[in-house]
């Protein structure tokens, strides 16, 4: 059965000062699956992820061409509100960056930006999202204290909950477990497996084992290009390209 | 063994240096206080602080006009410079191109390095005529230009490099990831700056303002050159004033034939020291309070 795609990327090029960071990337992100972007550091995985919600806008030196279509709408050329487009995606970065406000307000932030001020609705959402990431029981008594009191793993889940609160269709995770201990990492990974029922998920990682554990769909990148992509069984047991073969040998 | 001895020597040196640094302000305070005792003996402390009669020849020393002038000038300089510094720091750290920032750093350093007498000259040549001939007529007022407002404007410009520099250092510590996180939740750049950057930097902003205020309160020469140096209490910023540091600098060594005058000036210095200390303590307190939140 062929899945619907959440994002369709075609001919994406990103370069800075005549040096390519991404070269001719063509990629479909299928709905309700975990797509893992795998590859060595500096191969452009993070840039690819950031292009998807146009955080590349922040770096003026980057030049971006190509098409990134979400719901048939090319976000690189879209005249539509960029803020609305970004709310379709929840971002989870390498380190958790909780906003410098209370736990409650961290989650309410994105909802408030949509113009929702109703207290009951906010309360409901905060509770729902915190439960969704399994953090509710741990923080329900200190919702109004600073997230600095949480452990890094809890903070990362808080950031995930904050992203979910704007009702995205897609979760973009950039090496989400690289700062976490193995137990917290496992919680995040398990969450992803649960969340893919409702969301499409893109995970950037350089950890081979994590890719094997999570992926429904693996994209292997090397020096800004997609070298190979496909189902994990097929890709890991029968790699075609010399780059991936080497990565599989060295990575294990 | 040899290592131990060396270690002990270097440790005790560090402690001695630290003590010297800590002792200096303390000694200054004690000396200033002891020198100002004679004036306490004939006048009560609240008369000294809250009387507005300044007649040294009759032994009447009321510091209120000087204290109010100092506070007024400082307040004006703060009101003028604080928003400017915050906005400039936001622009330079969040929006400006790298090249502009590279140009701005030496400019800020130069502004900080200009001797205050030059600021004073600039004040006399530009700010005083501007205030006297352009601004005052706008409000239907008569002013020579030598006024509290001129002092405040000159002070504001003098404080900008210090406050701006500290604000920029503070804003630069905000990780890009935090701004990205806010943007990815659908915030605009400005909303992200307001909710993420400025909130994250609360303590940095407070300490920058504290530094600016303390510096403005103690600044002497440039203010003295443009502020008019008339002993009076007036709410009108176009009137002349006479801040504490100007009083000390103008009169110490000149009017000492008048009995108790030197003691009164010592008291003025002591008040200055205490106020600067209070400003610092107050901002320390604010910093502690925001950090605990």
């Amino acid at each position: 059965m062929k899945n619907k795609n959440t994002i369709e990327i075609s001919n994406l090029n990103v370069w800075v000062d005549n040096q390519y960071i991404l070269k001719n990337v063509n990629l479909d992100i299928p709905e309700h699956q975990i797509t893992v972007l795998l590859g060595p550091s500096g191969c452009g995985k993070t840039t690819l992820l950031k292009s998807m919600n146009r955080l590349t806008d922040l770096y003026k030196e980057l030049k971006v061409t190509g098409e990134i279509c979400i719901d048939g709408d090319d976000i690189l050329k879209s005249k539509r509100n960029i803020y609305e487009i970004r709310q379709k995606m929840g971002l989870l970065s390498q380190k958790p960056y909780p906003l410098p406000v209370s736990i409650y307000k961290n989650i309410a932030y994105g909802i408030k930006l949509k113009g929702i001020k109703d207290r009951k609705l906010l309360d409901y959402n905060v509770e729902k999202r915190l439960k969704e990431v399994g953090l509710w029981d741990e923080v329900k008594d200190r919702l109004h204290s600073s997230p600095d009191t949480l452990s890094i793993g809890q903070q990362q889940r808080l950031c995930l909950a904050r992203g979910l609160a704007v009702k995205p269709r897609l979760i973009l995770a950039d090496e989400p477990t690289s700062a976490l201990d193995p137990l917290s990492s496992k919680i995040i990974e398990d969450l992803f497996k649960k969340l893919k029922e409702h969301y499409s998920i893109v995970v950037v990682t350089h950890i081979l084992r994590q890719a094997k554990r999570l992926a429904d769909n693996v994209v292997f990148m090397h020096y800004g290009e997609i070298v190979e992509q496909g189902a994990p069984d097929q890709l890991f047991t029968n790699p075609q390209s010399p780059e991936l073969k080497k990565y599989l040998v060295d990575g294990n | 063994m040899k290592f131990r001895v060396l270690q002990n020597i270097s440790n005790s040196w560090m402690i001695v240096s630290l003590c010297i640094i800590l002792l200096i302000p303390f000694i200054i305070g004690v000396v200033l206080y002891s020198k100002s005792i004679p004036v306490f003996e004939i006048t009560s402390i609240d008369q000294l602080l809250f009387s507005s009669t300044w007649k040294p020849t009759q032994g009447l020393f009321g510091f209120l006009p000087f204290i109010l002038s100092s506070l007024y000038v400082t307040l004006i300089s703060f009101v003028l410079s604080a928003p400017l510094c915050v906005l400039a720091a936001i622009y330079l750290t969040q929006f400006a191109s790298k090249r502009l920032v590279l140009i701005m750093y030496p400019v800020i350093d130069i502004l900080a390095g200009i001797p205050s007498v030059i600021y004073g000259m600039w004040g006399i040549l530009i700010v005083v005529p501007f205030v006297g001939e352009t601004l005052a007529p706008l409000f239907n007022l008569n002013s020579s230009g030598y006024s509290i407002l001129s002092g405040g404007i000159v002070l504001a410009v003098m404080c900008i490099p210090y406050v701006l520099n500290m604000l920029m250092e503070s804003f630069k510590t905000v990780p890009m990831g935090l701004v990205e996180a806010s943007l990815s939740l659908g915030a605009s750049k400005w909303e992200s700056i307001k909710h993420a950057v400025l909130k994250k930097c609360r303590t940095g902003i407070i300490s920058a303002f504290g530094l600016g205020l303390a510096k403005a309160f103690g600044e002497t020469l440039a203010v003295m050159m443009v502020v008019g140096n008339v002993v009076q209490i007036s709410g009108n910023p176009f009137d002349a004033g006479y801040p504490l540091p100007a009083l000390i600098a103008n009169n110490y060594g000149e009017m000492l034939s008048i009995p108790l005058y030197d003691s009164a000036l010592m008291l003025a210095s002591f008040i200055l020291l205490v106020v600067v200390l209070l400003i610092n303590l107050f901002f320390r307190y604010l910093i502690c309070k925001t950090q605990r939140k």
Side-chain angles (χ1 to χ4, degrees), chain A residues 50 59-60 83 86-87 109, chain B residues 95 180 182-186:
Chain A
K50 284 183 177 170
Y59 307 90
K60 291 183 193 101
Y83 313 118
R86 285 201 184 120
Q87 288 202 329
Y109 183 70
Chain B
F95 295 97
E180 285 181 356
S182 170
L183 286 174
S184 70
L185 290 170

Side-chain angles (χ1 to χ4, degrees), chain B residues 14-286:
Chain B
M14 282 190 272
I15 292 169
V16 169
S17 333
L18 181 69
C19 289
I20 293 175
I21 292 171
L22 288 177
L23 270 179
I24 289 175
F26 185 70
I27 293 173
I28 292 177
V30 169
V31 170
L32 286 179
Y33 179 73
S34 64
K35 290 255 186 188
S36 52
I37 286 176
V39 80
F40 280 127
E41 280 170 355
I42 59 156
T43 325
S44 70
I45 183 81
D46 43 306
Q47 188 141 34
L48 285 168
L49 287 181
F50 301 113
S51 152
S52 54
T53 336
W54 180 256
K55 286 185 178 138
T57 44
Q58 297 165 27
L60 292 172
F61 300 99
F63 283 103
L64 192 63
F66 304 100
I67 296 172
L68 287 182
S69 283
S70 275
L71 289 176
Y72 205 172
V73 172
T74 308
L75 184 75
I76 288 181
S77 86
F78 178 73
V79 168
L80 291 179
S81 65
L84 206 66
C85 287
V86 172
L87 292 176
I90 289 174
Y91 181 76
L92 285 173
T93 53
Q94 307 295 326
F95 295 97
S97 65
K98 281 194 182 117
R99 191 191 275 168
L100 180 66
V101 177
L102 277 181
I103 298 171
M104 277 311 287
Y105 265 111
V107 170
I108 294 170
D109 287 347
I110 290 169
L111 272 178
I114 294 176
S116 62
V117 68
I118 293 180
Y119 279 109
M121 288 304 295
W122 168 73
I124 292 175
L125 292 173
I126 312 283
V127 178
V128 168
F130 171 72
V131 170
E133 290 157 22
T134 313
L135 269 185
L138 278 182
F139 297 93
N140 280 328
L141 290 168
N142 238 334
S143 170
S144 66
Y146 289 93
S147 61
I148 298 270
L149 183 60
S150 304
I153 293 172
V154 171
L155 258 189
V157 178
M158 292 181 74
C159 290
I160 283 173
Y162 295 92
V163 178
L164 182 58
N165 204 359
M166 256 186 100
L167 286 176
M168 282 173 69
E169 289 305 318
S170 170
F171 290 171
K172 269 197 299 190
T173 60
V174 177
M176 201 64 185
L178 187 64
V179 179
E180 285 181 356
S182 170
L183 286 174
S184 70
L185 290 170
S188 67
K189 181 94 192 213
W190 177 244
E191 282 166 333
S192 303
I193 288 169
K194 201 169 78 180
H195 294 293
V197 178
L198 290 184
K199 274 216 179 103
K200 189 90 185 168
C201 294
R202 272 175 309 197
T203 50
I205 294 172
I206 293 171
S207 45
F209 285 170
L211 179 87
L213 278 180
K215 189 179 152 48
F217 198 81
E219 174 54 40
T220 313
L221 191 65
V223 183
M224 190 167 94
M225 289 166 79
V226 299
V227 83
N229 301 334
V230 177
V231 186
Q232 61 182 4
I233 294 178
S234 164
N236 179 358
F238 290 97
D239 283 342
Y242 208 159
L244 275 173
L247 168 75
I248 303 163
N250 268 338
N251 297 306
Y252 194 78
E254 305 226 335
M255 314 281 276
L256 297 186
S257 53
I258 302 170
L260 287 180
Y261 205 116
D262 70 322
S263 179
L265 290 184
M266 286 300 165
L267 180 62
S269 315
F270 186 65
I271 296 172
L272 200 61
L273 189 72
V274 169
V275 173
V276 171
L277 195 70
L278 285 179
I279 292 178
N280 276 320
L281 284 178
F282 175 66
F283 277 90
R284 279 277 129 214
Y285 168 74
L286 279 186

